[in-house]
Amino acid sequence: MINNTKYVKGNPEGGLTPITSPWMHQLFENQKLLSELFRKFSSPINIHHLPTFASTISSYKEVFESYDLKYQIFYARKANKSKSLVKQAFGSGIGVDTASLRELEQSIALGGNGNNLVLTAAIKTKEQYSLAIQNEIPIILDNFEELEQANNIAKQLNKKAIIGIRVSGFIVEESKLYSRFGFDIEKVEQFISKKLNLGSPYQNLKLKGLHFHLDGYSTQQRGKALSDCLNLIRSLNAKAFDISFIDIGGGILMNYLESEQEWTDFETKLKNAVQNDRNQLTFNNDGLGYEMVDGKLRGSLKTYPYFNKVNGTTFIKEVLDYSNLQTGKTNAQELKELQLELRIEPGRSLLNRTGITLAKVAHRKQDAKGQWLVGLEMNMTQMMSSSKDFLLDPFIIYKDSQESNTSVDVFFTGAYCLERDVLLKRKISLPTLPKIGDFVAFVNTAGYMMHFFETEAHLFDLSTNLFLNSQGDFTLTDFIDDNAMK
């Protein structure tokens, strides 16, 4: 037995403890409801708690309002495909950043328009240009050929395309930040002055803003990039341009973990295990980016930085408080002085604690090494991002009394016929081995983990996406299939 406790965090003693919300625990405690959900919707199930999403949106708004800034928040739709989140974004008074034709089409159908949508797709088709131009939705242009395409299609439609120019190549601490996207900051003023002036052949374009999106998570780099763009806008507007917004993209850090100590301890143990060739932490001794080369530890942790002291609203504040090296004024002061609208495109951080992924145990087995493998009714693409592993402890919901009270270490495996379909590369310690039919909950998966790499290989069904508006006392009818959202 488990001392009357029906659910438990994996790695009960330490591990990597995720920050959770009361709504998650209310659900974990209701095994009858969980069983009903799996009977109706199968496994895996993604659940999105819209009140949490709305609350995070409000906290971001409060930051900008505390600085008395003009602003617009665009939820980065690529982080999660659920339509309910788009509808909630509009209902909460923010916009949506779209990166494909289907994202744009769906967002328009759900109530989007030129005031609350933006198109930032890395590859833009004729259909995307046409739809955005017809609906007066701003298009962020990445290169000269995109500029020509937007102008030609706008001319065919007898309309003007509202555009922003993506800028990159910022110099921070004497080092130029490389990006495959955007116009070089050192050349873009001359380009805009030449190609988008009143006498240019591109009269079907209306330049309204600048845009950048930096790789990595440095507030200093973002602060410097914003400062450089503000200097550029000041110069361009002095030449009779009318730039009204600057969009600093996304990449706003979030914090997943309760304890910084657990995070630093994990990385220390991982490095020691790789160095000593006694890796007892991960499946098949995966160093998660660390490796031994010529007797020396090389590499770095190739995962998301799951613990961050500066995150969300404090991250934004650091960018706004960055001081312009020329004027000594902060970015926030410069924005007010220039009467510019600041735009951001958060995805992951805006979805903080909004979602969980639930799956059923399908089988248990021991491999040739004696390791316990617990197979779940899901596959690795249904909880995958660019991070080398998802470093949060899951929760196990035991349905009945257990076979023993002997603790066990397990790895969770998925349904693809691939050796590498291991859902978490970290070993998870449990108070007892789960049974077939028990449930596993992965928390805080709404941002990029649920859908970004999900496939239908083997003709598996895609995961079911449900949304929830209730704060508590959940019943089956509170959970609505996202496909029903209109």
Side-chain angles (χ1 to χ4, degrees):
M1 298 289 290
I2 317 179
N3 298 325
N4 299 319
T5 300
K6 290 284 189 157
Y7 79 92
V8 65
K9 180 184 79 74
N11 300 319
E13 303 299 325
L16 291 171
T17 305
I19 299 171
T20 56
S21 294
W23 73 269
M24 300 175 187
H25 295 278
Q26 290 174 34
L27 186 56
F28 300 161
E29 290 166 356
N30 195 336
Q31 295 185 43
K32 179 175 181 292
L33 176 57
L34 288 172
S35 296
E36 291 173 344
L37 286 169
F38 279 112
R39 275 196 295 271
K40 183 173 181 179
F41 297 108
S42 192
S43 175
I45 300 171
N46 297 320
I47 297 176
H48 304 81
H49 190 244
L50 299 188
T52 298
F53 185 47
S55 176
T56 305
I57 291 170
S58 294
S59 69
Y60 276 46
K61 285 181 168 184
E62 289 169 5
V63 172
F64 296 119
E65 288 164 6
S66 71
Y67 285 86
D68 193 28
L69 294 174
K70 295 180 182 179
Y71 71 94
Q72 177 59 300
I73 301 166
F74 291 87
Y75 158 60
R77 175 115 196 247
K78 57 183 169 284
N80 188 298
K81 71 181 183 183
S82 297
K83 293 183 285 186
S84 59
L85 297 170
V86 174
K87 199 76 172 177
Q88 182 63 60
F90 294 150
S92 295
I94 69 168
V96 173
D97 161 31
T98 65
S100 72
L101 179 61
R102 286 187 64 193
E103 285 188 2
L104 185 59
E105 287 175 332
Q106 282 189 3
S107 297
I108 292 171
L110 291 165
N113 54 51
N115 295 320
N116 57 18
L117 292 177
V118 63
L119 175 64
T120 63
I123 300 294
K124 302 178 184 71
T125 63
K126 179 179 178 181
E127 291 77 14
Q128 289 178 53
Y129 286 116
S130 297
L131 187 58
I133 292 166
Q134 287 169 338
N135 287 274
E136 299 183 345
I137 293 165
I139 306 169
I140 304 303
L141 301 181
D142 175 79
N143 55 69
F144 177 58
E145 290 191 346
E146 285 194 349
L147 183 142
E148 287 192 312
Q149 291 177 71
N151 187 71
N152 291 339
I153 293 170
K155 187 181 294 184
Q156 293 167 15
L157 295 170
N158 195 28
K159 288 183 174 289
K160 288 212 173 208
I162 301 168
I163 65 166
I165 295 292
R166 184 164 181 171
V167 182
S168 64
F170 302 99
I171 297 174
V172 181
E173 294 184 333
E174 300 181 353
S175 178
K176 193 170 182 67
L177 303 180
Y178 172 77
S179 174
R180 73 180 181 94
F181 300 107
F183 293 82
D184 192 321
I185 184 72
E186 296 180 276
K187 300 175 182 177
V188 70
E189 181 176 359
Q190 182 180 0
F191 174 84
I192 291 173
S193 299
K194 182 178 179 181
K195 299 295 185 182
L196 296 174
N197 63 53
L198 290 175
S200 81
Y202 301 101
Q203 293 304 301
N204 287 84
L205 301 179
K206 184 188 292 186
L207 176 63
K208 297 302 292 181
L210 297 184
H211 177 285
F212 68 83
H213 181 91
L214 300 185
D215 199 19
Y217 306 104
S218 166
T219 56
Q220 181 190 12
Q221 290 178 1
R222 278 168 176 74
K224 176 62 162 54
L226 175 54
S227 179
D228 289 352
C229 284
L230 294 175
N231 290 336
L232 175 58
I233 291 171
R234 187 185 296 275
S235 179
L236 287 169
N237 283 354
K239 298 177 182 179
F241 287 95
D242 183 24
I243 295 176
S244 60
F245 74 80
I246 170 63
D247 189 330
I248 67 173
I252 297 168
L253 277 171
M254 66 174 273
N255 180 40
Y256 284 89
L257 299 174
E258 286 189 356
S259 168
E260 182 178 15
Q261 190 63 54
E262 286 185 351
W263 177 245
T264 56
D265 286 350
F266 167 74
E267 188 165 8
T268 299
K269 290 175 183 176
L270 179 65
K271 288 191 286 188
N272 289 339
V274 174
Q275 282 180 299
N276 298 319
D277 196 26
R278 291 196 304 272
N279 192 335
Q280 300 298 313
L281 297 177
T282 59
F283 188 75
N284 284 344
N285 301 324
D286 193 318
L288 303 181
Y290 289 111
E291 60 181 339
M292 293 298 291
V293 179
D294 297 329
K296 295 183 178 180
L297 184 69
R298 305 290 188 189
S300 60
L301 192 61
K302 301 298 184 185
T303 70
Y304 188 83
Y306 285 95
F307 182 87
N308 297 287
K309 286 182 179 178
V310 177
N311 63 83
T313 56
T314 55
F315 185 99
I316 295 169
K317 286 179 180 179
E318 285 200 0
V319 176
L320 291 173
D321 291 340
Y322 180 92
S323 292
N324 186 303
L325 300 178
Q326 296 177 15
T327 67
K329 296 178 181 177
T330 66
N331 282 333
Q333 290 170 328
E334 293 276 0
L335 284 161
K336 288 185 70 174
E337 187 174 296
L338 292 168
Q339 297 185 312
L340 292 173
E341 180 178 87
L342 178 65
R343 298 182 174 186
I344 62 171
E345 299 165 2
R348 181 195 303 265
S349 65
L350 211 56
L351 294 169
N352 191 9
R353 285 178 272 173
T354 291
I356 61 173
T357 297
L358 299 168
K360 286 177 66 175
V361 173
H363 67 240
R364 304 90 45 84
K365 62 173 286 187
Q366 281 185 290
D367 64 11
K369 296 179 179 179
Q371 301 174 124
W372 277 104
L373 309 180
V374 177
L376 302 185
E377 293 181 14
M378 66 181 294
N379 64 71
M380 64 182 185
T381 73
Q382 291 167 323
M383 197 178 66
M384 177 184 284
S385 73
S386 58
S387 178
K388 194 140 173 74
D389 198 20
F390 187 56
L391 297 179
L392 276 69
D393 293 334
F395 287 81
I396 317 304
I397 299 102
Y398 296 102
K399 292 177 67 177
D400 303 305
S401 59
Q402 301 302 300
E403 294 169 352
S404 74
N405 59 0
T406 303
S407 64
V408 62
D409 296 331
V410 307
F411 294 101
F412 292 107
T413 59
Y416 280 159
C417 297
L418 296 171
E419 292 286 355
R420 66 190 182 94
D421 194 351
V422 179
L423 299 169
L424 298 179
K425 294 183 177 66
R426 278 189 314 131
K427 179 171 58 182
I428 303 298
S429 177
L430 300 175
T432 190
L433 190 66
K435 287 183 178 180
I436 294 172
D438 285 343
F439 310 135
V440 179
F442 303 99
V443 302
N444 223 345
T445 53
Y448 289 104
M449 297 304 301
M450 293 177 177
H451 307 132
F452 202 71
F453 288 101
E454 187 179 17
T455 73
E456 293 180 280
H458 298 352
L459 295 182
F460 285 140
D461 289 335
L462 296 176
S463 54
T464 299
N465 296 291
L466 307 179
F467 66 90
L468 180 64
N469 265 310
S470 173
Q471 292 283 13
D473 297 323
F474 307 133
T475 65
L476 186 62
T477 57
D478 291 324
F479 297 82
I480 302 172
D481 192 330
D482 192 75
N483 289 326
M485 173 61 68
K486 295 180 180 179

